Amino acid sequence: MILEVENIAYSYTNKNFVFKSVSFNLSPGEVISIVGPSGTGKSTLLKCIAGLIQLDEGKVLIEGSQVPEAKNMLIPGHPEVALVNQLFELDDYFTVRENISNQLHHLPLAERFEFTDELLDIFELEDLAHKKSKDISGGEQQRLSMACALAKEPRCLLLDEPFAHLDVHLNKKIGEYIRRLANLRQMGVVLVTHDGTEALAWSDRILVMSNGEVFSEYTPFQAYHEPKTFFEGSFFGELNKINLDGKQLLFRPTEYSLTPDHNKIEIQLEWKYSSFRGPYYANYFESKGGEEVVLYANKELIPTNVVYV
Ligand code: ADP
Ligand code: MG
C-alpha cells in the first residue's frame, strides 16, 4: 500500500470533530478522489494525511512507515508526501524554471533538464520560465506549485482542488498527465474536489464525505448510476428524484425511455421548458407530484407527457 489511513479524527477545538473514524487505503498507481461540499473538512483531512497538523486519533502510514506526529517535528510532514493546496510554497526570488529544477536534485543533470522542460510544457509555463515566481499571476503560481510537487517525485501526491482555477483545456491535459505519471511511477494520488464530475473523470475510486463521519465509497460508474442517496448522487451531475408510493426513485437525465417498457415504471409528466446545452437539450418537466424532472435528448421534448424509467 502507498497510503493507509487508519481511523483518524481531527478537531480544531476540543471535542468538536471536523471528521472522525476515517479509514481508507491507496494502492500503487491508484488515483482516489474525495468529494464533498465546502466546509466538510476535505482540506483539513489532506493536511492531516501529510502530517502537517496533529491528529487527535488514529494513524497514517506511507509505504508501511508511520507519518511522524506533527507535534514532535521541527518541520512537520513526510518526505514522500507532497501536498498541493492554495497556500503556494514557492521560492519567490527564484525563477519559474529554478523553482521546478530545485526539486530535481535527485536526478542526473541531463534528466533534470529534460524533466524540467516536460513540466514547463505540460503546465504551459515555458514563456514564464525566466520570470521570478513572485511576478506571475495567482493561477500561474498554482500551476507552478503543482509542477513543483510532481518534480519532487513523491510516492504520494495530495491535490487540494487542483483544477479550480484552470482553463478547460489545461484541466484535461494536466488530469491526463497526472494519471499517466501515477501509472508510470506507481505513485498514489489523493484528489480533493467539491466538483464530482472531476472525480468521475480522473479517479479509480471515489469517497464521498458528507458530514465528517459518513463516507461512501464508489467506483466512478457507481457514483453516477447507483448513488445511495440523492445528496451523494447530486455531486456527480443532475439527478431526478420522484416519490412513488412513499418510495424514492432516483434516475439520471439519460436513464429513461420514450417507448412503453413493461420492466419500467411509467411516469406522467408535463413539459415546462427546454434548455440548449450544445451536445444535447436539457428538457425540464413537472411530475404529478410537483417534482422537477430533467431529461437529456437530442431535441426538445415538447409533446412528451409520459416516460418509462
Ligand atoms: P473543506 O476543505 O471541505 O471546505 P476545511 O477542511 O477547510 O473544509 O474546513 C472544515 C471545517 O473546519 C470548517 O467548518 C472550517 O470552518 C473549519 N476550520 C478550517 N480551518 C480552521 C482553523 N484553522 N481553525 C478552526 N476551524 C477551522
Ligand atoms: Mg478545502
Side-chain angles (χ1 to χ4, degrees), residues 186-207:
Q186 293 293 291
M187 163 180 80
V189 180
V190 183
L191 169 70
V192 153
T193 174
H194 65 276
D195 180 350
T197 58
E198 287 172 358
L200 293 179
W202 304 121
S203 39
D204 300 303
R205 271 190 299 149
I206 298 173
L207 299 177

Side-chain angles (χ1 to χ4, degrees), residues 9-19 39-48 52-56 85 87 160:
Y10 183 80
S11 57
Y12 283 106
T13 52
N14 270 350
K15 292 290 159 244
N16 212 342
F17 285 107
V18 178
F19 56 79
T40 36
K42 303 181 299 298
S43 296
T44 306
L45 178 64
L46 285 193
K47 284 184 212 157
C48 284
L52 301 180
I53 50 178
Q54 178 65 38
L55 293 171
D56 290 333
N85 58 19
L87 312 164
D160 195 349

Side-chain angles (χ1 to χ4, degrees), residues 198-219:
E198 287 172 358
L200 293 179
W202 304 121
S203 39
D204 300 303
R205 271 190 299 149
I206 298 173
L207 299 177
V208 182
M209 193 172 180
S210 28
N211 67 40
E213 287 188 51
V214 184
F215 272 84
S216 290
E217 189 179 323
Y218 295 108
T219 63

Side-chain angles (χ1 to χ4, degrees), residues 229-299:
T229 63
F230 180 76
F231 174 81
E232 292 191 350
S234 37
F235 285 106
F236 304 98
E238 286 184 288
L239 181 63
N240 295 307
K241 178 176 67 177
I242 284 204
N243 274 309
L244 289 172
D245 310 322
K247 278 184 74 180
Q248 213 176 58
L249 177 67
L250 300 179
F251 63 101
R252 293 288 175 191
T254 48
E255 297 172 331
Y256 70 95
S257 141
L258 292 175
T259 47
D261 185 334
H262 295 305
N263 299 317
K264 293 186 173 170
I265 299 163
E266 178 181 314
I267 295 170
Q268 314 269 341
L269 297 171
E270 190 186 335
W271 179 84
K272 290 290 170 192
Y273 66 97
S274 299
S275 153
F276 181 58
R277 299 264 177 92
Y280 60 90
Y281 285 87
N283 296 277
Y284 287 89
F285 296 84
E286 193 175 298
S287 73
K288 280 206 156 155
E291 296 125 326
E292 185 181 74
V293 171
V294 56
L295 304 176
Y296 297 165
N298 60 5
K299 57 178 191 259

Side-chain angles (χ1 to χ4, degrees), residues 56-230:
D56 290 333
E57 291 168 18
K59 60 182 174 182
V60 176
L61 306 168
I62 301 291
E63 296 195 305
S65 83
Q66 191 166 348
V67 174
E69 301 208 331
K71 67 179 178 200
N72 299 331
M73 301 289 286
L74 199 57
I75 301 169
H78 188 288
E80 289 299 341
V81 181
L83 168 63
V84 183
N85 58 19
Q86 265 68 58
L87 312 164
F88 315 112
E89 282 163 34
L90 299 172
D91 291 321
D92 288 353
Y93 291 91
F94 282 89
T95 66
V96 166
R97 171 175 279 279
E98 287 161 346
N99 265 277
I100 296 176
S101 62
N102 287 349
Q103 306 297 334
L104 290 170
H105 291 301
H106 58 286
L107 293 180
L109 206 58
E111 281 178 47
R112 209 187 298 171
F113 280 128
E114 199 180 319
F115 195 18
T116 303
D117 285 342
E118 180 174 311
L119 288 166
L120 287 170
D121 172 39
I122 293 289
F123 288 88
E124 298 188 1
L125 295 166
E126 291 129 315
D127 295 345
L128 309 169
H130 299 292
K131 281 195 168 185
K132 292 204 167 56
S133 69
K134 69 178 176 57
D135 296 329
I136 62 176
S137 77
E140 290 158 356
Q141 286 175 345
Q142 194 198 11
R143 263 143 60 196
L144 178 56
S145 65
M146 220 187 305
C148 289
L150 287 172
K152 283 181 194 161
E153 303 202 67
R155 299 298 301 134
C156 183
L157 178 67
L158 310 175
L159 300 171
D160 195 349
E161 311 267 3
F163 302 117
H165 304 290
L166 295 182
D167 297 342
V168 178
H169 83 280
L170 263 172
N171 185 320
K172 174 167 176 287
K173 190 166 156 188
I174 292 170
E176 280 169 359
Y177 186 68
I178 287 170
R179 280 226 62 112
R180 188 149 60 80
L181 279 191
N183 192 30
L184 200 70
R185 297 189 198 150
Q186 293 293 291
M187 163 180 80
V189 180
V190 183
L191 169 70
V192 153
T193 174
H194 65 276
D195 180 350
T197 58
E198 287 172 358
L200 293 179
W202 304 121
S203 39
D204 300 303
R205 271 190 299 149
I206 298 173
L207 299 177
V208 182
M209 193 172 180
S210 28
N211 67 40
E213 287 188 51
V214 184
F215 272 84
S216 290
E217 189 179 323
Y218 295 108
T219 63
F221 186 92
Q222 289 167 335
Y224 191 75
H225 290 291
E226 299 156 16
K228 287 181 219 153
T229 63
F230 180 76

